[in-house]
């Protein structure tokens, strides 16, 4: 049995080498036992003296480990750099002194993180809003109330001060801030339904999320089929009761209707080709669908109560040109 315990005192982990890793290199064994960290990162920690067995520091990544060995792995907290303002164009749907609603473009990461230190929505907001941007979300997420995946387009509300941030965050928590998404999915689900499955980190593929995994959090998605394209695909509207990472993508995949274009959870390529061929698409039309470069997901509506004025507010955004083109091709399916 693999034993892993969090050690809050030193920002690290205590791991016990299981029988099936007996004799394995230290860095490889830790990569198996600590999947949230890359082998390169773990090797650097070893060489820096952050991995110990009792009082002994293990500095050689190639050291073979024995079953039952207890290791302490100290992971120093990362020091976050303060995001800098960047002049990145924003499609602003509404703005006042307390908040703004934006229509996010595809390819824009919401906040800085590993691999995306710059060029994010936060950098753009810092440039646009200056010193007024709320800091409640933390230094890396100022003003951010909720997020969209990098390649998902559509509406987001951003707080410009602390009062607005608290009010909007409370509405997100009690579900009075509501969002509607449009998605193009493979095949045709039941006309309407609710997917009620907890979502958590995939146990084997850390870049993915999964349903019904240990430590998963409650997640519920309502969906309704708006239009079907032969037997190949459907346009659905999704409403969230929660806001888990990749929620719509994971839930629709869980009921066997993954999103068109989804690089993580999508349908196998040969199955896509088969559905499109049966639908009567020409090779040129099929290529447009098969090569769609992102998940076909757009946040088309957002509604909330203004946290300062108390006014009910609602905004809609038409799908971007790439999804419009995809829909026009889908319309020709028989």
């Amino acid at each position: 049995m693999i034993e892993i315990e969090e050690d809050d005192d030193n920002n690290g982990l205590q791991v016990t080498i299981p029988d099936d890793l007996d004799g394995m290199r230290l860095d490889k064994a830790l990569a198996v036992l600590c999947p949230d960290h890359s082998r390169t990162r773990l090797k650097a920690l070893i060489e820096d003296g952050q991995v110990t067995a009792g009082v002994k520091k293990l500095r050689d990544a190639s050291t073979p480990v024995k079953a039952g060995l207890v290791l302490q792995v100290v992971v120093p907290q990362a020091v976050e750099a303060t995001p800098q303002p960047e002049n990145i164009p924003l499609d602003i749907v509404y703005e006042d002194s307390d908040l703004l609603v934006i229509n996010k473009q595809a390819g824009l990461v919401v906040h800085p993180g590993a691999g995306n230190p710059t060029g994010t929505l936060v950098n753009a907001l810092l440039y646009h809003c200056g010193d007024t941007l709320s800091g409640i979300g933390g230094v890396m997420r100022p003003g951010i109330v909720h997020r969209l995946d990098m390649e998902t387009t559509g509406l987001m509300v951003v707080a410009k001060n602390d009062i607005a941030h608290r009010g909007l965050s409370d509405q997100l928590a009690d579900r009075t801030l509501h969002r509607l998404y449009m998605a193009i999915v493979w095949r045709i689900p039941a006309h309407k339904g609710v997917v009620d499955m907890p979502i958590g980190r995939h146990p084997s593929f850390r870049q993915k999320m999964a349903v019904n995994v240990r430590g998963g959090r409650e997640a519920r998605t309502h969906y309704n089929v708006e239009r079907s394209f032969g037997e190949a695909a459907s346009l659905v509207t999704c409403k969230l009761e929660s806001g888990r990472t990749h929620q719509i993508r994971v839930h629709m995949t869980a009921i066997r209707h993954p999103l068109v274009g989804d690089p993580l959870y999508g349908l196998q390529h040969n199955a896509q080709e088969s559905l499109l061929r049966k639908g009567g698409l020409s090779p040129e039309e099929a290529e447009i669908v098969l090569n769609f470069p992102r998940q076909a997901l757009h946040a088309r509506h957002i509604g909330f109560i203004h946290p300062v004025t108390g006014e009910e507010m609602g905004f809609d955004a038409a799908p971007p040109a790439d999804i419009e083109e995809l829909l026009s091709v889908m319309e020709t399916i028989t």
Side-chain angles (χ1 to χ4, degrees), residues 106-291:
L108 182 64
V109 177
V110 170
H111 51 72
N116 295 288
T118 61
T120 71
L121 174 60
V122 163
N123 299 108
L125 290 170
L126 288 170
Y127 181 90
H128 178 79
C129 300
D131 295 334
T132 66
L133 201 63
S134 166
I136 280 186
V139 67
M140 301 299 283
R141 297 175 173 86
I144 301 300
V145 178
H146 61 108
R147 62 184 293 274
L148 295 175
D149 295 337
M150 179 176 70
E151 297 297 350
T152 298
T153 56
L155 296 169
M156 293 181 61
V157 61
V158 176
K160 295 173 71 174
N161 56 57
D162 292 349
I163 293 175
H165 198 288
R166 286 193 203 97
L168 291 168
S169 296
D170 288 346
Q171 291 180 54
L172 185 67
D174 66 20
R175 299 168 185 170
T176 53
L177 188 157
H178 57 274
R179 296 158 287 165
L180 294 178
Y181 295 76
M182 58 179 292
I184 304 173
V185 304
W186 291 107
R187 299 183 290 261
I188 308 172
H191 180 65
K192 64 171 60 176
V194 180
V195 187
D196 188 356
M197 300 179 184
I199 291 176
R201 186 68 59 182
H202 194 290
S204 302
F205 304 98
R206 303 301 293 177
Q207 74 273 33
K208 297 178 68 173
M209 309 299 287
V211 299
N212 299 326
V213 293
R214 184 177 180 181
R217 300 174 66 190
E218 176 188 2
R220 188 174 295 108
T221 302
H222 298 256
Y223 74 86
N224 186 66
V225 177
E226 304 290 343
R227 206 183 321 167
S228 59
F229 308 109
E231 298 295 323
S234 310
L235 173 65
V236 300
T237 293
C238 295
K239 181 180 179 181
L240 304 181
E241 281 194 33
S242 47
R244 308 302 175 214
T245 301
H246 300 174
Q247 180 169 323
I248 292 173
R249 300 164 63 188
V250 173
H251 271 173
M252 296 310 293
T253 298
I255 62 170
R256 303 180 63 82
H257 299 283
L259 273 62
V260 170
D262 195 321
L264 268 183
Y265 307 99
L267 198 63
Q268 290 187 342
H269 190 79
N270 58 353
Q272 297 179 38
E273 288 183 319
S274 176
L275 287 169
L276 296 175
R277 185 170 57 250
K278 291 176 182 177
L281 289 189
S282 68
E284 294 76 19
E285 291 170 327
E287 281 301 304
I288 292 174
V289 180
L290 294 170
N291 293 327

Side-chain angles (χ1 to χ4, degrees), residues 95-111:
E95 182 175 13
D96 62 26
S97 60
D98 300 299
L99 58 85
L100 68 162
V101 176
I102 67 160
N103 185 15
K104 189 184 86 66
Q105 63 265 41
L108 182 64
V109 177
V110 170
H111 51 72

